[in-house]
Every structure is written in C-alpha cells, then in structure tokens.
Amino acid sequence: MNIRDIKVFICSPGRNFVTVKITTDSGIYGLGDATLNGREMAVVTYLEECVAPCLIGRSAHDIEDIWQYLYRGVYWRKGAVNMAAIAAIDMALWDIKGKAAGLPVYQLLGGRSRRAVTLYGHASGSTIDETLDHCAALVAEGYSAVRLQSAVAGLPATYGVLGDKKDYFELQGSRPLPPEEPWSTKKYFNGVVELFRRARERFGPELNLLHDVHSRLTPIESARLGKLLEPYDLLFLEDASIAENQQSYELIRQHTTTPLAIGETYNTLWDCKELIQNQWIDYIRMAATHAGGITALRRVADFAAIYNVKIAPHGAPDLSPICVAAHMHLNSWAPNFGIQEYVGAGSDACQQIFTNGVTVGNGMASPSEAPGLGVEFDEQAAAQHPYKRSYLPVSRLEDGTLWHW
Ligand code: KDG
Ligand code: MG
C-alpha cells in the first residue's frame, strides 16, 4: 500500500484550517491536521514543496520510518512549521493504517483505558458575573470541569474575553495586522482571585475549575498566584509563566501546591523534558498537531507517565476536528490521561466540512468506532470557504513594552 498522492487544503469556515489528504494506490486515504494559527501558509508551502515530493511511492505502513525521515532526516529539527507538517503526515498515516486494519486508531495504540474522555469547557465573560453565568450554563450541560476567564477590569481588552474579538473562534478579519492588547499584572491580580472565590461560593467544592494565564506572569508572580488560588482548589493553573528556562517552574513549584499545566506551544519532548523529569508540572498540554502527531504524543504520554505527569491536550478552536479526533483516540488509550480541553464543534460551515469525528455529550467525549480516525472531509464544501489571512494578537504592557503572549 504505497503513497500515491498528497494534497494540502486550506479552508476558512469561521477560522483557517490546513488539512492534508494522503491517498494510497489501494484507494485508502488518510487525513491530517496541519493548522498553525496565524502561520498557516508557511506550513502549506513546507508540505507542498519540501515534504510531499519525498513521500510519493513510499509504503504508507511505514509510519515510524517516515516520522524519523521527516524529523532526523531534515537537519533543521524541531520548529512549529516543521512539526505541524510532520504531525499532519503522521495523523494521515495512522488514519490509513486504521482503515487498512479495520480498527479505530485507539485500538492500534493499545485499546481503551477508560469508558469516555472527560472534557473541560470554557466560560469567559466581560465581568465575573458573566463568566460565572456562562459556567452555570456549561454545568447545566453536564460539564464537570470548566476553565474560567474574566476580562481584566480597567483594561480596554483582554485576550479572548473582551473587545470586538470575543471568542477564539473569530478571525481577526477586520484587522489587517496583529491587534495589540494591553496587559497589567496588578490589575489582573485584583480580579482573578475574586473570580475563583466567587466561583467556589456559587458552585461549591465539587466542580473542577481551571484557569489559563497565557504566560503573562513572571515565575515569582506565578508562585504568588498559585498560593493565592490554593483555597479554591484548581484542577490546574495553565501557562502561568513562559518556561524557556524550564527551571523557572522549580521556583513556582517550591511555593505552591496548585497543580501546574503547560505545553500547548511545544513542538517536541525536548521542550518539556526537565519540566516532566523533575515533576515541576502536573499536566503536559501538547497538541498532536503542533508536536509531531500521534507518534510523538504517544511518546510524550509514556515519558510523562513515569513521572506522574498526565496529558491534557490543547483543545483550542484553531485545532481542526481531525486533531480533535486524534486527541480522543490518544486520550482513550493513555493510562495517564488527565483531561481534554473542548470548545465545541465549530461553526455550521466547519461541521459541514469535517463530519463524524467524535461523540460529545454530558461533558464527556468518545472517539469514533469507525476504522482510522473516523473523520470525513468534504473537499467541495471546503472550497466554498477560502483562506483569510489572520493574526493572533500581540500583548504589551501599559507603557508600550512588548510582553509575553
Ligand atoms: O492559537 C492560540 C490559541 O490556541 C490559544 O490562545 C488558546 O491558550 C489557548 C488555550 O488554552 O486554549
Ligand atoms: Mg492555553
């Protein structure tokens, strides 16, 4: 079963997605997600110009060798563009192998470790009340875990929760260049602890609560936030600080028992090797699409398991339903699965383009039982929604200093 053709599609059903389709000479095809938010066309070019020509004629069964060929073989290891391209090829090959075997991918990984995958939803709002009302709606839907984000009072915009970009789903369509959003750690601290105090008051001790700092704090500020949030028993505090110096997390860890999560921008295990090995974190949040696919994430999960670190894959809307499906297969199998971020099935157009995929209900999800990943991709429907250039926002301190994303 040799690779006959590799096509790359880019569509924008509410936001941009890059999709790879590998067709074999047996007629079986596989799908992969290569979406890199704000840098989509770089991955498209890399796939078409540098990757696809090298794979035509090779056995589609050689997932491991193709992964090594694209990683070790290229000299320029790692990197978001490279790893997103490898990821899409890898997912598509697992999809093909599953279809050829007549088995869903989680069975190829070793079978189920659980009945279903626990999800956490997003509750965001311009005020604490709005965030908590949103949380109540998710609880009513059956969610047992919710991420709370509230706009920072006194700032004109907060990423994802205020301004004319209220939701991650939306393209920055009206703005030709990256929008700039202000940040004030002082103003943030004033509101965030109150948000969680009020959440516990309203929802009691059972609900799992999470929060994403988007890396805006220094390590010592993260340590302080973790300490201040301890009474509210978070499931995890995400991306408190950047960990370019992985040892920064040792400092945070020494000061707080609030569980720590990081990893959505990581591309290889090397980005978090010390974080995991030293047990400075509790959850690793790498995504199949940005970390080299199912092959790589499976290795990360096994490595993390040795150190009591759980996987909690990134689940933002800029990961396509193909990545969501890949995550559900991995999550069903991984003995050290923690929780999966989930923000819904996307726009109506998105749901027309990507069909089947995962089953979601009551705050839980299951992968498809169909052979492979179980997602279908409608090429004609995708062609109705052409690519639109869009950038993620940039963060600056109130005096204009460029700040961590
Ligand atoms: O592309 C960036 C988004 O995926 C990111 O901002 C979302 O932080 C995020 C999350 O935890 O979902
Ligand atoms: Mg995040």
Side-chain angles (χ1 to χ4, degrees):
M1 190 174 59
N2 292 335
I3 295 173
R4 195 179 60 199
D5 183 42
I6 300 179
K7 280 204 167 57
V8 187
F9 301 86
I10 176 153
C11 62
S12 190
R15 61 157 313 100
N16 294 317
F17 292 120
V18 179
T19 302
V20 167
K21 180 175 182 180
I22 300 182
T23 307
T24 64
D25 53 14
S26 73
I28 294 179
Y29 67 87
L31 299 168
D33 177 31
T35 308
L36 187 61
N37 198 2
R39 296 291 185 270
E40 295 87 354
M41 296 309 288
V43 189
V44 171
T45 306
Y46 184 70
L47 276 161
E48 288 180 343
E49 184 60 25
C50 308
V51 173
C54 306
L55 303 185
I56 305 301
R58 296 178 58 124
S59 169
H61 275 306
D62 293 350
I63 299 178
E64 188 63 54
D65 187 62
I66 289 175
W67 197 97
Q68 299 294 340
Y69 180 84
L70 294 174
Y71 181 77
R72 292 186 196 212
V74 295
Y75 186 63
W76 309 109
R77 294 185 185 206
K78 309 181 186 176
V81 172
N82 184 30
M83 297 312 287
I86 295 178
I89 298 293
D90 183 78
M91 279 181 218
L93 293 177
W94 278 95
D95 194 19
I96 288 169
K97 199 182 273 297
K99 286 172 180 167
L103 290 170
V105 166
Y106 76 83
Q107 293 289 14
L108 304 183
L109 293 170
R112 273 186 202 286
S113 293
R114 56 195 50 79
R115 271 179 283 110
V117 168
T118 304
L119 306 173
Y120 72 88
H122 282 197
S124 304
S126 306
T127 61
I128 291 180
D129 283 329
E130 204 177 295
T131 301
L132 297 184
D133 288 348
H134 193 173
C135 179
L138 290 171
V139 171
E141 271 181 51
Y143 278 85
S144 62
V146 183
R147 188 189 89 162
L148 304 181
Q149 306 292 130
S150 199
V152 176
L155 291 182
T158 305
Y159 174 64
V161 290
L162 197 69
D164 59 343
K165 183 180 184 295
K166 283 215 172 199
D167 206 308
Y168 297 117
F169 284 95
E170 293 166 26
L171 286 167
Q172 299 284 347
S174 57
R175 295 183 267 205
L177 294 173
E180 304 210 344
E181 293 176 349
W183 177 254
S184 157
T185 296
K186 218 167 184 47
K187 290 179 176 140
Y188 167 70
F189 262 90
N190 293 340
V192 68
V193 179
E194 182 63 3
L195 170 66
F196 283 90
R197 190 191 67 73
R198 300 248 328 260
R200 279 290 169 228
E201 198 176 77
R202 180 156 166 188
F203 299 104
E206 284 300 309
L207 184 64
N208 285 306
L209 298 175
L210 306 93
H211 180 66
D212 189 352
V213 185
H214 286 297
S215 311
R216 303 286 208 270
L217 301 180
T218 64
I220 197 66
E221 290 165 349
S222 297
R224 180 161 163 259
L225 180 62
K227 253 172 127 161
L228 290 171
L229 292 177
E230 274 172 28
Y232 311 112
D233 187 24
L234 268 63
L235 183 81
F236 64 60
L237 184 64
E238 177 191 341
D239 285 349
S241 293
I242 289 284
E244 280 164 340
N245 292 316
Q246 295 186 34
Q247 215 163 0
S248 299
Y249 271 67
E250 183 178 20
L251 184 145
I252 305 172
R253 195 65 150 175
Q254 278 166 352
H255 290 283
T256 181
T257 57
T258 293
L260 302 170
I262 196 167
E264 66 183 42
T265 61
Y266 293 172
N267 310 128
T268 77
L269 183 51
W270 305 104
D271 296 334
C272 50
K273 182 169 160 281
E274 286 93 54
L275 287 170
I276 293 174
Q277 243 172 354
N278 293 299
Q279 303 184 44
W280 291 329
I281 57 168
D282 301 277
Y283 295 86
I284 182 71
R285 290 191 22 83
M286 288 158 83
T289 298
H290 301 135
I294 293 170
T295 297
L297 214 56
R298 181 187 55 170
R299 273 199 266 278
V300 168
D302 276 339
F303 180 72
I306 300 171
Y307 301 100
N308 288 312
V309 174
K310 294 179 179 172
I311 62 162
H314 188 204
D318 47 283
L319 296 154
S320 94
I322 299 169
C323 177
V324 174
H327 284 168
M328 295 312 171
H329 286 281
L330 279 155
N331 295 337
S332 292
W333 152 75
N336 56 329
F337 165 70
I339 196 158
Q340 174 65 55
E341 179 182 26
Y342 184 72
V343 288
S347 65
D348 291 348
C350 177
Q351 293 180 57
Q352 275 157 20
I353 295 169
F354 300 94
T355 50
N356 302 330
V358 302
T359 309
V360 176
N362 221 21
M364 308 288 284
S366 301
S368 167
E369 288 297 328
L373 291 173
V375 190
E376 296 300 329
F377 177 69
D378 185 331
E379 294 173 36
Q380 277 76 42
Q384 304 302 310
H385 300 276
Y387 166 74
K388 295 190 180 79
R389 186 193 296 151
S390 177
Y391 296 96
L392 279 160
V394 168
S395 176
R396 287 189 190 273
L397 300 182
E398 288 175 293
D399 71 356
T401 307
L402 198 87
W403 198 234
H404 299 301
W405 204 93

